Amino acid sequence: ISFNAIDSALSSLKNCQSYINSGMDVATQVALDLVESFNDEEHINSMEKVMLEYATMDRELNHHIKAFEETINQVKREKPENLPDLENLAQEKFLEMESKNSDSDLQKNEKYMYFKDQLKEMKKQYHGNDTIEQIDEDIAVTRSQTNFICPITQMTMRRPVRNKVCGHIYEEDAILEMIQTQKQKKKKVRCPKMGCSHDDVKGSDLVPDEILKRLLDSQKKQ
């Protein structure tokens, strides 16, 4: 049996995930802009609904991909004399997965969780009727100057990423290069922040720190 056409279709489905991820990134940026510029709660809430819609699409897409992969693997494993109706088999598996859906699934979507986390941090900084100047001063006080310095390069960060496990922040290129170098040596990466005990930093644990990035950009303009 040739599964090339099915593999190609699966590849196209997986490409769709990148579009969903991009859409969620844009929605996150728009929501942060709304907090920073207007503190417009109604529109911020509408962006959260957009994020949940994206999370729903992502879950459905993942179920389609998983259903087809399981169906193909089952046929390859069992090698039946007569090829079954793959579409019906996959649809049955898909519907079974969808029947177990719950709202909590969407709340656990990684991009949605990141959206909520960044929104919460941004709201802490930008609130009430403070002027932009007052807000900048507040941020400068709450975020120590040392937070701008990457523990690896010892230079001011340009694209800060935060480790979801230990919470420490690094320059994106520097930490990824460190991970890649140690991977080639088949070694784990210890968090480069002095005093941190986390000894297995992974690329998948890193997320952009949008709040710090905005602060750094703001300081550059000044």
Side-chain angles (χ1 to χ4, degrees):
I1 301 168
S2 174
F3 293 103
N4 289 342
I6 296 170
D7 288 340
S8 176
L10 279 173
S11 180
S12 297
L13 279 176
K14 288 174 181 177
N15 284 337
C16 290
Q17 287 180 308
S18 66
Y19 295 121
I20 291 174
N21 286 335
S22 296
M24 295 181 94
D25 289 340
V26 170
T28 300
Q29 293 295 331
V30 170
L32 295 178
D33 286 341
L34 287 168
V35 176
E36 185 176 354
S37 305
F38 310 107
N39 202 22
D40 187 331
E41 202 63 35
E42 182 181 346
H43 285 94
I44 292 167
N45 289 338
S46 71
M47 294 316 299
E48 182 167 356
K49 289 177 184 175
V50 169
M51 288 295 289
L52 287 170
E53 287 173 10
Y54 272 124
T56 303
M57 285 191 285
D58 186 56
R59 178 178 63 188
E60 185 174 332
L61 186 59
N62 281 326
H63 285 170
H64 273 298
I65 292 170
K66 191 175 178 183
F68 269 101
E69 286 179 339
E70 286 185 2
T71 300
I72 298 306
N73 289 336
Q74 179 183 332
V75 172
K76 285 180 178 178
R77 189 171 57 249
E78 296 175 357
K79 298 178 180 176
E81 288 185 16
N82 297 315
L83 187 64
D85 187 328
L86 298 179
E87 188 175 346
N88 275 345
L89 270 178
Q91 183 69 4
E92 285 175 13
K93 290 180 185 294
F94 169 75
L95 292 174
E96 183 183 352
M97 292 176 197
E98 287 285 293
S99 69
K100 297 173 183 175
N101 286 348
S102 69
D103 289 343
S104 63
D105 297 340
L106 305 180
Q107 307 289 333
K108 291 173 186 172
N109 177 282
E110 190 166 333
K111 290 274 187 184
Y112 177 74
M113 290 169 68
Y114 173 72
F115 169 86
K116 294 290 285 184
D117 175 61
Q118 292 290 290
L119 206 58
K120 181 180 176 184
E121 284 297 313
M122 185 66 99
K123 283 181 177 179
K124 281 182 188 176
Q125 307 297 347
Y126 295 81
H127 56 83
N129 297 316
D130 293 339
T131 64
I132 295 299
E133 290 76 20
Q134 287 172 325
I135 289 167
D136 285 341
E137 287 175 8
D138 289 343
I139 297 176
V141 171
T142 56
R143 296 216 175 207
S144 165
Q145 190 72 27
T146 55
N147 278 346
F148 301 162
I149 305 300
C150 172
I152 304 167
T153 65
Q154 295 302 310
M155 295 173 65
T156 301
M157 290 180 277
R158 293 177 297 111
R159 291 200 300 272
V161 290
R162 178 163 46 83
N163 190 323
K164 293 185 291 184
V165 178
C166 62
H168 292 126
I169 302 168
Y170 335 99
E171 176 63 39
E172 183 178 28
D173 289 344
I175 188 64
L176 290 178
E177 183 180 344
M178 181 180 282
I179 290 170
Q180 184 60 31
T181 300
Q182 292 298 89
K183 185 179 180 181
Q184 290 171 353
K185 298 176 183 176
K186 297 183 178 178
K187 291 183 179 179
K188 294 179 180 180
V189 175
R190 175 178 284 278
C191 174
K193 185 73 173 178
M194 190 177 293
C196 183
S197 60
H198 182 46
D199 62 359
D200 189 12
V201 180
K202 297 183 176 73
S204 57
D205 294 331
L206 306 174
V207 293
D209 191 311
E210 291 293 342
I211 313 303
L212 186 56
K213 173 78 165 59
R214 284 165 182 257
L215 178 55
L216 287 163
D217 290 345
S218 174
Q219 289 225 330
K220 281 181 191 174
K221 289 174 185 175
Q222 293 174 9

